[in-house]
Amino acid sequence: MEQNLILLYTLFAPLVGAMLLLFLPKEKEGLIRAFGIGVSLITFFLSLAAWSMFDASKAEFQLQQQFLWLSRYNISFHIGADGLSMIMVLLTTFLTTLTLWTSWSGIAKKVKEFTFFMLILEVGMLGVFVSVDLFLFYVFWEAMLIPMYFIIGIWGGEQRIYASIKFFIYTMAGSLLMLVAIIWLFMYAYNDVHMYTSNINDLYKIGPKIPFEIQKWLFLAFTISFAIKVPLFPFHTWLPDAHVQAPTAGSVILAGVLLKMGTYGLLRFSIPLFPQSAHYFAPAISTLAVIGIIYGALVAMVQTDMKKLVAYSSVAHLGFVVLGIFALTPESVQGAIIQMVNHGLSTGALFILVGAIYERTHTREIDAYGGIAPIVPVYSTLLLIVSLSSIGLPGLNGFIGEFLILIGAFKSPVLNNWMFSIVAASGVIFAAVYLLWMYQRVVFGPVKNEGLRALKDVTAREFTIVALLLVFIVWIGVYPATFMKITEASTAKLIKETLTTLSIRY
Amino acid sequence: MNSLNFFNNLGYAWPETIITLFLAILVIYNLVYPQARRALGIISLLGIALALGFTIQQMWTQFPTDPSWLSGFTRMLIPDKIGIFFKVIILIATAYVVLFTEFSEELRGTFDRAGEYYALIFGMLLGMMFMISANNFILLYVSLELVSYSSYVLAGFMKTSERSSEASMKYIIYGGVASGIMLFGISLMFGMTGTFYYFDISRLLMMININSVLFLISGIMIFTGIGYKISSVPFHFWTPDVYEGAPTTITAYLSVASKAAGFAALIHLVRNCFVGAVATDGYWVMLSHFYWKELLVYLAILTMTVGNLTALWQDNLKRMLAYSSIAHAGYLLAAMSVLSNQGLIAMVVYFSVYLLMNLGAFFIVILIQNKTGSENIDDYNGLGTRMPFLGACLGIFLVSLTGLPPTAGFIGKLYLFLALVDAKMIILAIIALLNSVISLYYYIRVLRHMYLTKGNNESPITPSFGSVLIALSLAVPVLLFGIYFTPLIEWAKTVVLR
C-alpha cells in the first residue's frame, strides 16, 4: 500500500491551527478572524492538492496513511479517500472557509472561542470523510458533537439551549446505537476470519455473509443513526430547532456538511456492508424519503419564518438524496452525491442571504418584509438565483441532481416501482411554490415597513461569498462532469458489488 | 506461628507496614508539633510515595497463588497482581486527596484538628489495602470495618456543619446494618463450610456440590457488605446524603478509593472462591450453584439505571456526582458480570480512567466551591467565561464521564461494550448504552450552565498555580489516554493475565 501524507496534512491543519489560536490574545478579534480564515484557506488548498494527486479512474481508497493504534484488536489510524470521500472533503474545506468569512460580522462575541470550535469541527468533519477504519470513523463522528453543541448553544438565538440539547441527545442516541452495532460487527468478523479487523475494505467482504436475521438488526442500528443525522422523516424534528437557533455560520455548516455525513454513512456503510438488508428495507426507506420530500415541502410552505422555511426545505432535499441512494442505480447514486453537494451550496447560500438580512433588520418574519427589490437590487438578484437553484431550474445545479435521481429511481430494479419517482417529482413543484412564494412576499409588492427603506444592499464581502457559491452553482448546472467524474468509479464499484451480491442484473 | 515465620511473611505486607508506620509518625508528630499542619501533608505524601514504591515492587515478586500453607500470614493475605493494581489506584487517589486538602476552604475551620484528619485518612487507607488482599472472611470483615469507622469520622469531620454531622450519622446507621448482615452471612458460611479461607471454600465446592438455599442466602448476605461499599443498588441509599454532606475532599476519596477497595474485594471473593478454572478463551468456569452471573447482571442494570435516572433531577453538583458514581458502579458491575478475563480487563481500564476523571471533576468542584461557596448548579452560571481554564478542565472531565471520544472515558466504555458483546450479552450492552444517553443529559447540563447561561457576576477568577498544575495532571491523561490508549490496555492485560 502506497503511503501518502497529504490527507493527514489536510486533516490536521485545522487542529494545529486551533492549537496555535489558543496563544493569540483574546482582544485582537480582527487578527483572530483573519487567522481562522487563513487556516481554513490553507486547509482548502491542501485538499485541492489532495485532489490533484487523486486518480479518479480508480475506485479504491487512495492517498492512504496508516498507523497501528491498538495492536491487540488490530485497530489502526487509517485514512484514505475514494471518490465519495474526495468530493465531500472538498465541499467541507470550501464551505468552512466561506463560513468563517461569513461570520466576520455575524459573530460579535467570543470570537476566539468561535473560531476555535469551528476549526475543531472541521477536523471532525474531515475525519469522518477520510476514515477507513470503522472505530476511527466513530471517534470522529462523536468528536464533532461537542463543538457543534457549543456553536449552537453559545452563539445561537433565543431558544438556543433547548435546540442544542435536543440536537445533542438525538445524535448521541443514534450514534450509541451504532457503536453497539460496530462492536457486534467487529466481533462477528473476528469469529468469521479469526482475525480482528476494523478496516472497511475487509468488513465489506464479511458483512454480506452475516445471516439475514442478524444483519437486519445491524443494518437498522447503522441506518437509524444515519437517518437521524440526514434527517430522514420521521427523525427530523431536531433539525428545524437546530437550524433556526444556530447562528448563520452554524446553519451553513449544519446544512452544508453535517447532514451530508448521514447520507455519506448510508453510502459508505449501510449499503455495502449489509446489501441484503438494504435491498429488503429499500422500499420502506424510500417511502419515508418520499414522505419527507412532500412533508418537508408542505410544512415549508406554511412557515412564516424564513430560516425555518429553508430548514424544512432541507428535509425535502435530503429526501431526494436518500431516495437516490436506495434506488441503487448508477444514475441515481451519482445524482444523490451531486445533490449532496448542491444542497450544501444552495442551502448554504440561502442561509447566508437570510442571515445577511437578519443582521440588518433583526427579524426573519416573512410578513415583516415586502417590496425590497428596488431598495436592495443586488441582494434581490442573488436571492432569486439561489432560490431558483434550490428549486431545480435547468441550467443551475439543483436540476442535475434531482433529474438524475428521478430517472434512476424510475427504472431502479431494487425499488421496482415507478410510483416513487412520480410522487417525488411533485416535490419539485412544491419547492417552486414555497420558495417563489416566499421570494414574492419578501421582494416584490408594496413596501410594508417604512424602516425597510433604509436597508443597505449587500456588502462587498457578502457579495463575494455568495458569488463564489454561485460560480459552483452555475458550473455544476452547466458542466457537471467536472464533479461527477470524481465519484464515477467508486459509485460504479459500489453498485456493481452490491447488485452482484444480490444477484440482480442491471 | 513462630516469630521467624512472621518476619518472612512481612514481604507480603510491606506497603501495609509502611502505612502503619506513617500512621504512627503522623500521630506522634502532631502531638509534638500541634501547629505544623503543612508538614503533616508532606509526611503523608512521603508515606504514600514509599508505600507506592513497595506496592509496585510487589509486581515483580512471585507470590504463590495456589493454596499453599506457607503463603502470607497463613494465606490470609495474597497480594496478586489485580490487587496490586487496585492498591496503586487507591494510593494515587490518596495522594490526590491529600493535595486537594491544601486547596479546600471548607476544611479551613478544622485545621487545628489536621492531625486527626491525616491519621484517619491513613487508617482508612490501611483498611483498604488489607481489604484488597484479603483472602479470608475475618480479615475481610475487620478491614472493611476499619475503612468504615475511619470514613464515618471523616464524613462528619466538619463538626460545626449540620449537613456533615447528618451525613456521618446516616453513614453509621447504614454501615452498621450492612456490616452486621455481612457478619451474619460470614457466620453462616463458616457454619456450612467450617472455614474462613477463600481457597478452602473453593476446594470444598470443587469436591461437593453445596446446593442449599442457605448457601445462597449467606452469599447474598456477604455481598451486602461489599455492595454497600461500592454503593450498588439497593444498598446505595447512604451515598447521596453522605457525598453531599461530607467535606468534598472526602467525597472524592469515597467515590474513588473506597469503591476501588470494594470492587477488589468482590473480584477476589468471586475469583478465589467460586471460579474453578479459566478457559482458554478467558471465560471463567464457575463452581457450585451460586448465581453470580444473574445476581451481577440484575444488580448492574438496577444500579446504572437508578443512578442515572436519579442524577437527572439533582441540582446540587456533589449530589449529582454521587448518583453518577452509583451509575458508574453499575457499569463496573456490568463488566464484572461477564465473569471472564476480558470483563476484568474492561474493569481495570474503566477504573484507571474513572480515577482520573472523577477525581478531576471533584477537584474543580472544590475550587469552585472555594470561590462561590456553593455547589448548586445555578451558581455555576457563566463560570465558563469567568474561569476559562478550570471550566475547560471540568468540561473535559464531564465529557469523559459521559464516555464520548476523544477522551479516556470513551476507551473505558468501549472496552466494557467489547467485553459485553463478546460474551453475547447484547441486552445488557444496550441497556448500558441507553444509560449513557441519559447520563449525557445531566453532565451536559453542567456545561450548559457554565457556558450557555449568563451569570450575575462577571468578574474573572484566576486559579492559583498549584491548582492549575493538579488540574492539568488529571486532565492531560484523560485526553491523552483518549487518543493513545495502548499503554493503558497493555498494563491492564499484564495485571489480569498474571
Side-chain angles (χ1 to χ4, degrees), chain B residues 26 41 100 195-196 231 259 272 282 305 393 407:
Chain B
L26 279 170
F100 291 175
T195 175
F196 288 122
S231 53
K259 200 160 272 189
N272 295 349
T305 313
C393 282
T407 55

Side-chain angles (χ1 to χ4, degrees), chain A residues 222-293:
Chain A
F222 271 89
T223 308
I224 288 175
S225 171
F226 297 138
I228 290 173
K229 202 82 167 188
V230 169
L232 185 66
F233 178 88
F235 303 106
H236 65 281
T237 57
W238 64 268
L239 181 84
D241 287 309
H243 261 324
V244 172
Q245 299 306 327
T248 303
S251 298
V252 175
I253 282 292
L254 196 60
V257 187
L258 258 65
L259 303 189
K260 306 302 145 32
M261 298 197 331
T263 45
Y264 172 85
L266 292 174
L267 281 170
R268 172 72 71 225
F269 301 103
S270 289
I271 289 176
L273 279 176
F274 317 113
Q276 291 91 344
S277 311
H279 182 210
Y280 179 78
F281 285 109
I285 294 174
S286 303
T287 309
L288 288 180
V290 171
I291 292 176
I293 294 173

